[in-house]
Amino acid sequence: MGSHSLSYRVLGAISLSHFCNDMLQSLVLASYPLFKTGLNLSFGEVGLITLTYQLTASILQPMVGLYTDKHPQPYSLAVGMCSTLLGLLLLSVADTFALLLCAAAMVGAGSSIFHPESSRVARMASGGRLGLAQSIFQVGGNAGSASGPLLAAWIVMPQGQRSLAVFGLVALLALVLLIGVGRWYGQQYRGRKQSQQTVVAPVAPHVVRRTLWILLALVFSKHFYMASITSYLIFYLGHKFGISAQEGQYHLFFFLAAVAAGTLLGGPLGDRIGRRRVIGLSMWGIAPFALALPYVGLEMSAILSVVIGFMLASAFPAIVVYAQELMPGKVGTVAGLFFGLAFGLGGIGAAVLGQLADRMGIEAVYQLCALLPLLGVLAIFLPELHKTPAPLREK
């Protein structure tokens, strides 16, 4: 296959690896009740586990990306999955709080190493269709995140802490895939090392800084609002409409399925009509639906949440590729920053909204969160980026 070609084989491998990585991450988080009961932990100690995991899984990501932009590491993906595997095995046997913290840090560090470099691989395998490649890569992670809690409910909770070790087989599968991806990455890097031309940023540094702040505000709006639905939709529907938790799970599934579909569409749509336009339409376009959501009936609530999930998710692949085009040569740094921020804001949002729900009630929180998409109006201030030549590669 020519190096200019879109490589579905590589994209499929990196997307499946993303599925495995994010499934294992969410599996660990969904297993917290097991650790709390088994080791008699306080809520404060559970919070410290989450803090340890989030610090290593989100804050480390931009640092990893910054380093690998300067010193590419083709096999770092496999190293990251090894860290996740060892952390998972340690979680399955941890019998003290200190061991749980060490295990959580190892799983988080594995995620930090994985995301920046795997986003770079998706870009390298894109054949110029950057949005499509980013969407294929990201949809694997979305599907994995949605699968983790289900697997925890079906296997880990009934079978106990030791059953986490079984999922080491998933990490081994990802490890094999990532060794192959690393070999391909190394060949591509060596092939283009001498022929890669320097690409100059298309906008002035002060515009880059201003645009990054706008993008960060949009990511904040998106992920805080997403947290209100992914973490509290079941509670909200049960409180307002009196439906069972099981029926609420179906509503959440429909929302998550719409998120996966939106993620898959957002990238290629950005390739076709422009990333700035996709970001704008998806971010401020959901505002009317979000504002209406807290005030409609059960059936219309299901329809609106699907529309919101689809439109909102389409923004993220476009945002990542747009930011990478804004900062040429900083592919890993940008991916680490935005994936790390997305993860961190999702966790912080869930915690903050939970505290607000205790004080204000869940319906009031939904009415308040409905205002968040109004921040999407900032998208109109994003500059139109001129396309820069893709780096030359040898065949």
Side-chain angles (χ1 to χ4, degrees):
M1 178 182 296
S3 59
H4 289 285
S5 304
L6 176 69
S7 178
Y8 283 109
R9 177 173 58 85
V10 174
L11 288 174
I14 205 69
S15 183
L16 181 56
S17 300
H18 199 185
F19 172 89
C20 295
N21 181 82
D22 284 24
M23 183 267 280
L24 294 173
Q25 311 289 318
S26 64
L27 179 72
V28 169
L29 297 176
S31 301
Y32 277 2
L34 201 64
F35 303 137
K36 185 179 187 305
T37 303
L39 297 180
N40 195 28
L41 302 178
S42 67
F43 282 112
E45 287 172 323
V46 172
L48 284 175
I49 297 173
T50 303
L51 178 63
T52 301
Y53 170 68
Q54 287 191 340
L55 284 175
T56 53
S58 57
I59 292 179
L60 277 180
Q61 285 200 41
M63 301 181 207
V64 171
L66 185 62
Y67 178 80
T68 54
D69 279 336
K70 297 177 180 177
H71 310 283
Q73 304 291 326
Y75 290 99
S76 62
L77 290 166
V79 172
M81 190 53 64
C82 282
S83 179
T84 297
L85 171 60
L86 292 174
L88 191 68
L89 295 177
L90 183 56
L91 276 175
S92 71
V93 297
D95 55 1
T96 67
F97 178 59
L99 283 178
L100 281 179
L101 289 180
C102 289
M106 292 175 73
V107 173
S111 185
S112 277
I113 296 170
F114 176 81
H115 283 106
E117 281 295 80
S118 53
S119 182
R120 188 195 311 279
V121 168
R123 188 177 181 87
M124 292 172 71
S126 68
R129 299 171 69 182
L130 303 176
L132 173 64
Q134 194 64 220
S135 283
I136 292 173
F137 164 63
Q138 287 187 24
V139 79
N142 284 347
S145 295
S147 301
L150 291 177
L151 293 170
W154 294 341
I155 298 174
V156 179
M157 303 307 285
Q159 299 299 322
Q161 183 178 351
R162 295 297 176 104
S163 65
L164 282 168
V166 174
F167 292 94
L169 296 173
V170 175
L172 284 175
L173 168 64
L175 185 58
V176 171
L177 289 171
L178 291 173
I179 290 172
V181 167
R183 188 179 301 117
W184 177 88
Y185 177 1
Q187 291 169 350
Q188 295 294 308
Y189 177 67
R190 285 190 297 272
R192 67 184 181 139
K193 190 174 182 180
Q194 300 302 323
S195 59
Q196 187 174 15
Q197 64 185 29
T198 302
V199 181
V200 180
V203 288
H206 72 279
V207 178
V208 171
R209 289 192 293 271
R210 187 186 69 201
T211 304
L212 275 178
W213 280 113
I214 293 172
L215 292 174
L216 294 176
L218 295 177
V219 170
F220 162 80
S221 165
K222 174 186 183 298
H223 287 282
F224 252 69
Y225 186 68
M226 286 276 285
S228 74
I229 297 181
T230 54
S231 297
Y232 299 107
L233 181 65
I234 295 172
F235 300 107
Y236 168 73
L237 294 176
H239 174 80
K240 185 168 184 179
F241 302 109
I243 66 173
S244 67
Q246 184 177 13
E247 190 176 347
Q249 288 281 6
Y250 288 118
H251 283 258
L252 182 58
F253 170 77
F254 293 142
F255 172 77
L256 293 174
V259 167
T263 301
L264 199 54
L265 181 70
L269 194 61
D271 289 338
R272 182 173 295 272
I273 69 172
R275 284 172 249 291
R276 179 176 175 271
R277 191 173 298 173
V278 169
I279 294 168
L281 288 174
S282 61
M283 294 302 297
W284 53 258
I286 69 161
F289 305 107
L291 290 169
L293 184 63
Y295 305 101
V296 298
L298 181 61
E299 289 185 4
M300 185 55 69
S301 176
I303 294 170
L304 289 182
S305 64
V306 166
V307 172
I308 289 168
F310 181 85
M311 293 182 67
L312 196 58
S314 66
F316 197 60
I319 286 174
V320 171
V321 178
Y322 179 92
Q324 289 173 339
E325 292 176 338
L326 180 74
M327 301 172 65
K330 302 288 186 183
V331 173
T333 304
V334 168
L337 175 65
F338 282 91
F339 280 105
L341 191 67
F343 180 82
L345 285 175
I348 294 169
V352 169
L353 295 175
Q355 293 292 325
L356 287 176
D358 286 340
R359 289 168 169 76
M360 303 166 54
I362 192 68
E363 285 194 54
V365 166
Y366 262 67
Q367 291 165 4
L368 181 64
C369 287
L371 302 175
L372 283 170
L374 293 176
L375 278 174
V377 74
L378 292 174
I380 66 176
F381 298 108
L382 293 173
E384 192 71 61
L385 300 182
H386 299 293
K387 290 188 176 179
T388 54
L392 297 175
R393 295 184 188 175
E394 294 178 356
K395 292 188 179 182

